[in-house]
Amino acid sequence: MSPSVSLLIGLRYWRARKDTQFVSFITFFSVVGIALGVAALIVVSSVMNGLEGRLKTRLLGAVPQVLVSQARYLDNPAELQQTLATQPGVVGVTPLVGTEAMLQGEGALSGAQILGVDPHQESGFSTVSSHLLSGRWQDLQPGQYQILMGARLASRLNLLPGDKVRVISATGAVYGPMGRLPSQRVFTLAGVFELGAEVDGNLAYVHINDAARLTRLGKGRVASMRLYLDDAFTAPALAAQLQTQLGEGYRVQDWRNDYGQLFSAVKMEKNMMAMLLALIIAIAAFNVVSALVMMVTDKTSDIAILKTMGLSRASVMGVFSVQGMTSTLLGVVVGALAGLALAFNLQGVMAALGIWLLPPGQPLPVILNYGQIGLILAGAMLISYLATLYPAWRASLIQPAEALRYE
């Protein structure tokens, strides 16, 4: 028979009033379960995308995404900068002198990463530019020993703009009568920035010439070149390509050396949340199985009559697959609409409920990935379709003679 026959009979069974109220009850809750699972997956995945995107933009926009260096300093920094700027995906290349240092403030001591930069070049690419609470890039003047640092780092050191901070670096240490002496300079806090990321507590910027003096690198020398990319997640591939292109005399690193574990943890958490929420859809699919098994039992006589009229086993399976998938489709559509509506208005809904997952003033980021949403909907439909196969197969095995013997 035509597949349309299975479709029509399946839809008729789905619309018909169930003979057993318990079947209707299970069918209703299977639809609700699928809708809740789909909506939860859409909302949670969108929030996780937003948090990952914020971390990617703010954190990786402040730290070196790709770093090219040599043993101590670059032999020909100007030529290397021009070469790196022509690489695909590179939006900016800036000189850098970096070091790990201890910062001594008002009765407090803290470690930090010091980045010596050219403020005129850096201001056009770094995300710090749009998150300065006080001070400007232009305050970093050579020889003035000014410093910009994260808000949490300044708070830990009990510093306010204009206060003095001693920077102690093992890079460039010299040997004296008392042994190895670290290099140190007194800087003035020119301003603070707040990215809402880990770097607020361990990152500071100084002028590249001041950093070169601090590390005793030598006047006018550059330790490395820092690359800004249009997509920071392409850094590993570009780093491997540059290492091959530049040769063994150069060392090419990417952000994974310092922050790879953080993003791996975020990705793992994102996948685990998706898996746990997918279990809601799986449980709802079991309700579809239960409802269809009871429906097959109720419709045994109808199935037998249809088979005597020429309905094939495949068509019988199609009838109950259509019935189960109709409930699934309804749940998926309701869940998708509810999930999208909640994702678009999540901040307002959470504010109305008095729930704050982030510190006040920081909105919860939401990024809707429609390809990901499509996979969620397709996955829900696939799980539910697989759930309909067993009861549909059982229905196709009904023998008309046995089923109608006592009718």
Side-chain angles (χ1 to χ4, degrees):
M1 288 189 177
S2 171
S4 60
V5 174
S6 299
L7 178 63
L8 292 173
I9 297 174
L11 291 175
R12 181 179 178 84
Y13 278 177
W14 185 80
R15 290 196 307 267
R17 183 178 179 273
K18 308 293 188 299
D19 295 332
T20 304
Q21 291 299 318
F22 190 57
V23 176
S24 300
F25 178 80
I26 292 179
T27 302
F28 171 75
F29 271 91
S30 66
V31 172
V32 172
I34 291 171
L36 286 176
V38 169
L41 270 173
I42 290 175
V43 173
V44 171
S45 63
S46 298
V47 172
M48 293 298 291
N49 289 340
L51 291 173
E52 185 181 42
R54 172 182 287 185
L55 195 62
K56 174 183 174 182
T57 301
R58 295 189 176 184
L59 176 60
L60 298 185
V63 302
Q65 297 173 7
V66 176
L67 209 58
V68 179
S69 59
Q70 289 182 283
R72 172 71 171 149
Y73 53 84
L74 297 176
D75 295 332
N76 196 337
E79 182 180 343
L80 179 62
Q81 186 173 13
Q82 293 179 357
T83 301
L84 296 175
T86 61
Q87 299 296 318
V90 176
V91 297
V93 181
T94 60
L96 181 72
V97 175
T99 182
E100 302 287 335
M102 294 297 296
L103 276 63
Q104 183 180 7
E106 296 294 329
L109 195 69
S110 180
Q113 182 182 18
I114 306 295
L115 299 182
V117 299
D118 182 340
H120 299 289
Q121 298 186 47
E122 197 72 23
S123 60
F125 304 110
S126 177
T127 55
V128 172
S129 303
S130 57
H131 293 87
L132 283 168
L133 301 181
S134 62
R136 303 173 303 161
W137 281 111
Q138 289 72 18
D139 293 333
L140 301 182
Q141 295 295 325
Q144 298 297 316
Y145 295 101
Q146 301 284 318
I147 186 171
L148 296 173
M149 66 175 62
R152 287 208 304 269
L153 179 59
S155 176
R156 194 184 306 139
L157 295 172
N158 302 316
L159 296 175
L160 294 174
D163 290 345
K164 302 294 183 180
V165 56
R166 183 177 297 275
V167 179
I168 307 168
S169 172
T171 305
V174 296
Y175 287 90
M178 302 300 293
R180 193 166 184 255
L181 299 176
S183 175
Q184 55 182 303
R185 294 275 182 173
V186 175
F187 285 76
T188 302
L189 181 61
V192 296
F193 57 85
E194 186 172 25
L195 294 169
E198 180 184 354
V199 291
D200 289 341
N202 57 23
L203 185 64
Y205 287 91
V206 300
H207 194 280
I208 189 170
N209 290 350
D210 295 341
R213 292 190 183 96
L214 175 68
T215 59
R216 294 189 172 93
L217 187 65
K219 184 178 180 181
R221 286 177 174 169
V222 175
S224 57
M225 283 294 168
R226 174 182 184 177
L227 277 65
Y228 285 95
L229 311 180
D230 54 6
D231 183 0
F233 285 169
T234 62
L238 179 61
Q241 175 186 330
L242 287 175
Q243 186 66 73
T244 303
Q245 180 179 337
L246 295 175
E248 296 181 357
Y250 290 86
R251 183 184 181 191
V252 183
Q253 301 170 276
D254 60 75
W255 56 264
R256 293 180 304 168
N257 292 354
D258 295 322
Y259 300 98
Q261 292 183 348
L262 174 62
F263 280 88
S264 295
V266 170
K267 184 177 181 180
M268 182 179 68
E269 182 179 357
K270 184 178 176 181
N271 293 336
M272 289 300 296
M273 288 293 293
M275 185 179 71
L276 291 174
L277 292 173
L279 291 177
I280 299 176
I281 298 176
I283 293 170
F286 279 109
N287 288 335
V288 173
V289 174
S290 302
L292 284 180
V293 167
M294 287 185 283
M295 180 62 69
V296 169
T297 303
D298 289 342
K299 300 295 184 181
T300 299
S301 299
D302 292 1
I303 297 168
I305 293 171
L306 288 171
K307 293 189 75 173
T308 60
M309 295 175 65
L311 196 66
S312 65
R313 288 182 59 182
S315 297
V316 172
M317 289 186 66
V319 168
F320 290 95
S321 293
V322 167
Q323 186 179 354
M325 289 303 293
T326 303
S327 298
T328 299
L329 182 61
L330 178 61
V332 167
V333 170
V334 172
L337 294 176
L340 289 172
L342 186 57
F344 278 119
N345 301 281
L346 186 60
Q347 197 62 39
V349 172
M350 294 183 65
L353 296 175
I355 300 174
W356 300 97
L357 299 180
L358 296 178
Q362 292 191 25
L364 193 64
V366 174
I367 296 179
L368 288 168
N369 185 328
Y370 291 102
Q372 193 176 60
I373 292 173
L375 287 177
I376 291 172
L377 302 185
M381 296 293 290
L382 177 61
I383 291 173
S384 299
Y385 172 71
L386 294 176
T388 67
L389 292 180
Y390 174 72
W393 175 72
R394 288 289 301 271
S396 71
L397 296 180
I398 293 175
Q399 298 298 326
E402 294 292 330
L404 298 175
R405 176 180 296 178
Y406 303 105
E407 293 294 331

